[in-house]
């Protein structure tokens, strides 16, 4: 009996752990801060002016590895779907037997048939999400076409748990405002994560035994 219970427990743990392992997990350095490269030593050519300056037209805009850009989170999505179907079908067959002969034994009600079929279905689904706030990130790479790879995260430690906001993506230098701000809707290939852990996060999840019965339930 104990062996059967232990086997059921192992099966339950395997089924519950399988979906958790399939979750997409970010690499440890996916949102790590990017530091600026150390300046190279000036060439000993005897010249007073050296290259590598920032154009006056760019002002204080971020454009080098390690510069800070603030991403304004203005994400808002909404989706609605509905469908309906209505079907009805009627049919009847009736025969009148002859009044004489061997078939006169049948009554008209014995050779009549009718049927009705109806179906009606309706479905609705809707979903909406919203995320607002600001996250400051650093420039991780600068590409020749004027785009930059940015990534960073914000960690909030509260008395009931931790909240982490992570973002990475590609921004255009032209979309960076003079105060180094970019809307999240302007970030290409954006990867935005809002995760948390602690008492509140654990309370909002099903227990492992309840998840097990939810998986094997045929209803």
């Amino acid at each position: 009996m104990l062996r059967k219970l232990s086997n059921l427990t192992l099966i339950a743990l395997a089924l519950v752990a399988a979906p958790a392992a399939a979750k997409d997990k970010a690499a440890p350095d996916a949102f790590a801060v990017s530091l600026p490269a150390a300046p190279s030593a000036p060439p000993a050519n005897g010249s007073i002016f050296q290259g590598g300056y920032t154009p006056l037209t760019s002002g204080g805009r971020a454009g080098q590895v390690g510069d800070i850009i603030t991403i304004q989170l203005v994400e808002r999505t909404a989706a609605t779907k509905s469908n309906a179907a209505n079907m009805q079908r009627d049919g009847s067959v009736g025969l009148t037997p002859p009044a004489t002969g061997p078939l006169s034994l049948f009554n008209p009600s014995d050779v009549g048939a009718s049927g009705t079929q109806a179906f009606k279905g309706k479905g609705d689904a809707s979903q909406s999400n919203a995320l607002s706030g600001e996250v400051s990130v650093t420039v991780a790479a600068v590409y020749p076409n004027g785009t930059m790879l940015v990534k960073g995260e914000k960690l909030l430690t509260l008395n009931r748990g931790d909240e982490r906001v992570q973002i990475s993506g590609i921004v255009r230098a032209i979309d960076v405002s003079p105060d180094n701000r970019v809307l999240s809707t302007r970030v290409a290939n954006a990867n935005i994560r809002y995760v948390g852990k602690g008492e509140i996060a654990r309370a909002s999840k099903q227990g492992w035994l309840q998840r097990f019965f939810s998986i094997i339930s045929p209803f």
Side-chain angles (χ1 to χ4, degrees):
M1 184 65 180
L2 294 176
R3 178 175 297 180
K4 291 182 179 180
L5 291 176
S6 62
N7 292 336
L8 290 176
T9 303
L10 292 176
I11 294 174
L13 292 175
L15 291 175
V16 173
K23 291 183 178 179
D24 182 19
K25 293 185 178 180
D29 59 344
F31 303 95
V33 63
S34 300
L35 301 177
S40 57
N45 51 15
S47 176
I48 297 176
F49 173 79
Q50 303 292 341
Y53 65 94
T54 302
L56 295 177
T57 55
S58 63
R61 285 188 177 91
Q64 302 295 328
V65 175
D67 290 347
I68 298 177
I69 295 178
T70 300
I71 306 295
Q72 293 179 289
L73 300 174
V74 291
E75 296 297 320
R76 184 177 297 274
T77 59
T80 303
K81 181 180 180 181
S82 63
N83 59 65
N86 191 359
M87 182 184 67
Q88 186 173 357
R89 183 177 180 179
D90 299 326
S92 62
V93 176
L95 295 176
T96 302
T100 59
L103 298 180
S104 61
L105 298 176
F106 295 96
N107 294 323
S109 60
D110 296 337
V111 290
S114 63
T116 301
Q117 183 180 5
F119 170 80
K120 185 177 182 180
K122 184 179 180 181
D124 296 289
S126 62
Q127 182 179 359
S128 61
N129 300 279
L131 180 63
S132 60
E134 292 184 347
V135 180
S136 293
V137 299
T138 55
V139 179
V142 179
Y143 302 113
N145 62 346
T147 59
M148 299 176 290
L149 171 64
V150 297
K151 60 181 181 178
E153 62 181 354
K154 176 188 290 187
L155 175 63
L156 304 175
T157 301
L158 308 176
N159 57 350
R160 293 298 181 183
D162 297 337
E163 300 291 333
R164 188 185 300 269
V165 183
Q166 301 172 324
I167 182 172
S168 66
I170 305 293
V171 301
R172 299 188 306 171
I174 195 174
D175 292 332
V176 181
S177 64
D179 58 348
N180 289 326
R181 294 178 182 272
V182 178
L183 297 177
S184 61
T185 54
R186 295 285 186 176
V187 180
N189 195 29
N191 184 5
I192 303 175
R193 295 170 177 263
Y194 186 89
V195 296
K197 62 180 181 178
E199 297 179 6
I200 305 300
R202 288 194 300 268
S204 61
K205 296 181 180 180
Q206 290 182 337
W208 65 268
L209 187 59
Q210 189 173 5
R211 291 200 304 268
F212 166 72
F213 285 110
S214 298
I215 293 174
I216 65 174
S217 176
F219 305 104

